[in-house]
Amino acid sequence: MKIAIASCMNAKIYTNQPVWRNIEQMNPDALVLLGDSIYLDIPWVTVVPGGSIHPSEADAADFLNHGFELFRQLLGRPEFASLISRLGPGKAFAIWDDHDFLWNGAAGGAMPSKIYGDHFRVTRTLFKAFRTALGKGNPAAFPNSTSDPVFSSPNEPAPGYQVIDLSSAEKVCLHLTDGRSFRDKHNLLGSAQRAQITLEMNKRPGWINILASGIVFNGSKGECWSGFRDDHEWLLRTAQEHRILVASGDVHEKPPALAT
């Protein structure tokens, strides 16, 4: 099967995005968005009267309006909307990373709910609505207004971990991780999420397991799995028993063969 992966797109700043048309022409069987589908901190939140503030300083209403418009802009891009519609229901998936979770470097497990609870609630409802539209293969399924009931959920849970069997015939499984909600100084996924992933892989011996990650596994700069010892060692051990492909977002550079 043919799987397209993408990450780090900012429809607010880069309004011309022909890459989605190129992907559609390749006729993929599935699309996996690996985080930073929007940038909640680029640009900052516009407030009235004029001016802008960092999203951490925005109240719940301004933060919701800001994120809502950013997701609407992405889903409204004709090239992106065409790709999602052509894929159809159950073929487009997404995880989040720092910029569509909250802002650069944000780690939910290290951020007290007493201070950031409203931000968590808003961003979880926004991401749920985004995932729902992708899952339906219909960009127009994203709410038309911030007054939609989906944004009023007081206790929306974190996206967490999800597992999808992409192809039982070809034995291909997709593992959607949540590398932000439970992250702290020492943990990327955390023990509970690691246990869930291990359990699901054990149910599928011999399958190809695609692990969707918002950050790279190995790297010489920036965030990578090796900065979280328990998670890094767990994945290396697990890879001794299962066929694992790590699909990494947040690369931000061309491979040497494509560099100019």
Side-chain angles (χ1 to χ4, degrees):
M1 66 183 311
K2 187 185 299 182
I3 303 169
I5 61 174
S7 71
C8 308
M9 44 274 194
N10 190 325
K12 177 74 171 182
I13 303 297
Y14 302 101
T15 57
N16 183 28
Q17 299 189 345
V19 65
W20 304 119
R21 186 181 305 112
N22 298 340
I23 293 174
E24 183 176 352
Q25 290 172 352
M26 295 178 183
N27 196 29
D29 299 297
L31 171 69
V32 183
L33 303 179
L34 297 169
D36 296 343
S37 293
I38 62 168
Y39 280 68
L40 287 163
D41 53 343
I42 307 174
W44 286 8
V45 180
T46 300
V47 293
V48 178
S52 61
I53 58 175
H54 189 271
S56 63
E57 300 174 353
D59 62 24
D62 284 337
F63 189 51
L64 174 58
N65 288 331
H66 177 66
F68 175 83
E69 289 302 324
L70 293 175
F71 274 119
R72 291 276 294 180
Q73 286 171 344
L74 173 60
L75 291 163
R77 293 301 312 155
E79 304 91 342
F80 185 76
S82 176
L83 171 61
I84 299 304
S85 298
R86 179 167 180 173
L87 283 166
K91 299 296 183 180
F93 311 94
I95 61 172
W96 62 11
D97 199 31
D98 48 352
H99 294 284
D100 45 0
F101 167 56
L102 287 172
W103 45 77
N104 188 51
M111 302 172 69
S113 296
K114 185 176 181 180
I115 298 175
Y116 297 106
D118 284 343
H119 288 85
F120 291 156
R121 178 184 59 78
V122 167
T123 196
R124 289 172 179 179
T125 59
L126 283 166
F127 194 67
K128 178 181 180 179
F130 178 58
R131 271 186 162 179
T132 298
L134 295 180
K136 291 181 177 180
N138 180 15
F142 190 81
N144 292 316
S145 167
T146 55
S147 62
D148 190 282
V150 69
F151 301 123
S152 301
S153 174
N155 299 303
E156 183 65 37
Y161 164 70
Q162 293 185 20
V163 58
I164 297 99
D165 290 341
L166 292 179
S167 173
S168 298
E170 299 181 62
K171 296 185 176 181
V172 179
C173 181
L174 175 64
H175 302 265
L176 299 175
T177 66
D178 184 346
R180 289 293 166 180
S181 298
F182 316 106
R183 180 174 176 169
D184 57 28
K185 183 177 180 180
H186 304 289
N187 293 280
L188 176 62
L189 304 180
S191 59
Q193 196 171 179
R194 294 195 300 265
Q196 287 180 294
I197 297 170
T198 301
L199 176 64
E200 294 299 334
M201 288 187 181
N202 287 341
K203 292 178 181 178
R204 299 165 175 83
W207 282 50
I208 297 172
N209 296 280
I210 301 174
L211 191 76
S213 169
I215 63 173
V216 299
F217 184 69
N218 288 318
S220 58
K221 60 183 180 180
E223 298 176 310
C224 58
W225 279 66
S226 56
F228 303 90
R229 187 182 66 182
D230 290 348
D231 298 271
H232 187 256
E233 293 181 353
W234 160 79
L235 189 52
L236 289 175
R237 289 194 309 271
T238 306
Q240 298 298 313
E241 302 177 6
H242 299 282
R243 303 169 68 189
I244 299 175
L245 297 173
V246 180
S248 300
D250 212 29
V251 176
H252 285 279
E253 62 183 22
K254 294 180 181 179
L258 299 179
T260 58

